[in-house]
Amino acid sequence: ITFKGAGALEHLSLKTKIAVMLIAGLTLVFAVIVTINNSRQQAATTDLFDRNLEDQQWALQNQIEILMLTAENERLQPLVETMAARGMVEELQVIDSDKKIARASNRSQLGKQSSDPVWTALFKSGTDSTLIRTVDGEELEFTYTILHNETACQDCHDETGAILGGVKTVSSRQILAETLDGTFWTNIRVSVIGGLILLGGLLAALYVQIFRPLASVQNKLAAAAEGDTTQDVATNRHDEIGSLMQAIHKLISYIRDYAGVADKVAAGDLTADIPVRSDRDQLGEAFTDMSSSLDRMIKDLRANAGEMVQAAGTTASSAEQMSHNSSQQTAQIEQISTGIEEMVSTIHSSSE
C-alpha cells in the first residue's frame, strides 16, 4: 500500500516522524475525549437547567394560584414585575377566560387582547404546553399553564366556567447556551494545555532515552567509518537501545582488534593471534588465510634465496676454473709463438 506523501516522510528525521505521530495521535485522542466529555456535560447541564426551570415554573404557578385562591389578585402585578426585573423570566402574562391580558410584566399590555394563537388551541384542549422557539437568534422557552375553575375559586367565579384563564411565561435559554459554549471552550483550552504538557513530557523523555543516545551512537559510528577505531559505545542500559549500543560497541571492538592485527602483520609479525569470532567470521578467516599465505610465501622466498646463493657459488667456481684453463692455454700459445719466431730467425740466418 502506497500513501501520498510517503516519499516526503522518508526524508524526515526519526525525531520529526515520532513528534508528528505523537501530535496526530494525541490530537485524535483528545478530540475524542473532548467530544465525549462535552456531550456528557451538555446533557448534564441541559438536564440541570431544565429541572431548575421546571422548579421555577412550578414555584411561580403555585405562588400565582395561592394569591388567586386567597383573593389577593392585586398582588399579582407587583409579583410579575418583580420577577421580570430580576431576570427570572423574560416575559410573563396572566390572561382571563376572554384571552385579555390581566397581569403582565409589560404594563403597556394590560387590558389588551392576547395575540398569541396558542391560547385558542389550549383552551379547547384544556391542557398545558411548553414550546421552544427561536426569536431574533435567541432560544426561548414558552410555558403555557391553564387555570382551571377549582372549588376554591367558585366563590369568585362562575361555577359553570371550566377555564378561568392562563399563565404564559417566557424564559431565555441563552444562559444555558452561553454556559454550554463556555464549557466547550474551557474543555478545549484544558485539553490543549494538557496535550501540550503531555507532548512536551513525552518528547523530553524520548530525547533523554532515545534521541540523545542515538545521536551519540551516530557520531561515533561516523568517526569509526572514517577509520577512528578508538571510539567507545559502552553502556549500562539493558533495554533495546542498550542492546543496540552494546552490539555497536562489539562491532567497533571487532574492527579495532583486526586493525591491531593488521598493524602487527605490516610490521612483519606473522605470529600475531587472529581472533576468529565464529564460523561466519569472513574477515577473521580472510586474515588467517592471508597470514598463512604470507608465511608460506616468505618460507618459499627463503628457500629460493638459498638455492640462488648455492647456484651463485657454483657459477663462481666454474668461472675460476675457466680462468685457470685460459691462463694455461695462453702460456702454451706464447711458447708456440716463441718457437715459431726462433724457426723464422733460423731460416733467415740459413738463407744469408
Side-chain angles (χ1 to χ4, degrees):
I1 300 176
T2 303
F3 297 97
K4 293 182 177 180
L9 291 177
E10 292 178 356
H11 300 286
L12 297 178
S13 65
L14 178 62
K15 186 187 302 184
T16 304
K17 291 179 182 178
I18 292 179
V20 170
M21 288 189 291
L22 282 176
I23 292 173
L26 288 175
T27 301
L28 179 61
V29 170
F30 278 109
V32 173
I33 293 175
V34 168
T35 301
I36 296 175
N37 187 44
N38 187 65
S39 177
R40 290 180 177 178
Q41 286 190 352
Q42 284 187 354
T45 305
T46 302
D47 182 64
L48 182 62
F49 180 85
D50 290 339
R51 289 184 182 182
N52 182 61
L53 192 59
E54 289 175 2
D55 292 342
Q56 180 178 303
Q57 295 290 345
W58 179 81
L60 173 62
Q61 297 298 333
N62 282 347
Q63 184 67 26
I64 292 175
E65 289 177 3
I66 289 173
L67 292 178
M68 294 180 67
L69 291 174
T70 56
E72 297 181 3
N73 292 359
E74 296 302 323
R75 295 179 57 187
L76 285 175
Q77 183 60 34
L79 174 63
V80 170
E81 293 178 358
T82 300
M83 293 184 66
R86 292 184 176 181
M88 299 176 67
V89 293
E90 295 293 318
E91 181 184 356
L92 195 151
Q93 291 180 354
V94 179
I95 65 173
D96 57 17
S97 58
D98 296 327
K99 303 175 187 176
K100 288 185 178 181
I101 301 175
R103 303 288 185 270
S105 55
N106 185 359
R107 278 182 171 272
S108 62
Q109 296 177 346
L110 293 176
K112 295 181 179 181
Q113 193 74 21
S114 175
S115 60
D116 194 337
V118 177
W119 284 121
T120 302
L122 295 181
F123 275 21
K124 288 181 180 180
S125 63
T127 58
D128 302 335
S129 179
T130 299
L131 303 175
I132 305 295
R133 297 174 183 170
T134 301
V135 180
D136 296 331
E138 182 178 358
E139 191 176 80
L140 300 175
E141 181 173 307
F142 292 77
T143 302
Y144 299 87
T145 304
I146 300 298
L147 298 176
H148 296 276
N149 190 1
E150 300 178 1
T151 303
C153 299
Q154 295 176 1
D155 294 336
C156 302
H157 298 275
D158 187 1
E159 296 181 2
T160 59
I163 296 177
L164 299 179
V167 179
K168 181 179 81 170
T169 59
V170 180
S171 302
S172 175
R173 300 179 71 85
Q174 186 65 27
I175 297 177
L176 173 62
E178 292 175 355
T179 301
L180 294 178
D181 186 66
T183 301
F184 173 77
W185 288 111
T186 299
N187 289 336
I188 291 293
R189 285 190 292 269
V190 171
S191 299
V192 170
I193 294 174
L196 290 176
I197 293 175
L198 180 58
L199 179 62
L202 287 174
L203 290 178
L206 288 173
Y207 174 77
V208 173
Q209 295 296 322
I210 298 178
F211 298 145
R212 187 168 64 185
L214 287 180
S216 175
V217 170
Q218 179 184 3
N219 294 332
K220 293 181 178 181
L221 277 177
E226 295 177 353
D228 183 5
T229 59
T230 61
Q231 301 297 319
D232 189 9
V233 198
T235 180
N236 294 324
R237 295 178 57 164
H238 301 285
D239 54 6
E240 289 79 1
I241 299 296
S243 299
L244 174 63
M245 295 177 70
Q246 290 174 4
I248 294 174
H249 173 71
K250 291 179 180 179
L251 175 61
I252 295 177
S253 298
Y254 174 78
I255 297 173
R256 184 166 51 242
D257 290 344
Y258 280 105
V261 172
D263 288 339
K264 292 181 179 179
V265 172
D269 183 6
L270 299 179
T271 63
D273 185 20
I274 301 176
V276 179
R277 303 296 177 88
S278 67
D279 296 338
R280 296 172 295 176
D281 189 356
Q282 296 181 358
L283 183 61
E285 292 179 355
F287 261 82
T288 301
D289 294 341
M290 180 186 69
S291 179
S292 299
S293 298
L294 288 174
D295 186 52
R296 287 195 301 270
M297 184 183 299
I298 291 173
K299 289 180 179 179
D300 292 341
L301 287 174
R302 288 176 178 174
N304 292 335
E307 292 177 358
M308 290 178 66
V309 169
Q310 184 178 0
T314 302
T315 302
S317 177
S318 298
E320 184 178 358
Q321 182 65 35
M322 290 176 63
S323 177
H324 178 70
N325 292 335
S326 177
S327 298
Q328 289 180 350
Q329 290 177 359
T330 300
Q332 291 176 357
I333 291 171
E334 288 179 352
Q335 290 178 359
I336 292 172
S337 177
T338 301
I340 291 173
E341 288 178 357
E342 289 178 356
M343 288 177 65
V344 170
S345 178
T346 302
I347 293 171
H348 280 295
S349 297
S350 297
S351 62
E352 289 178 359

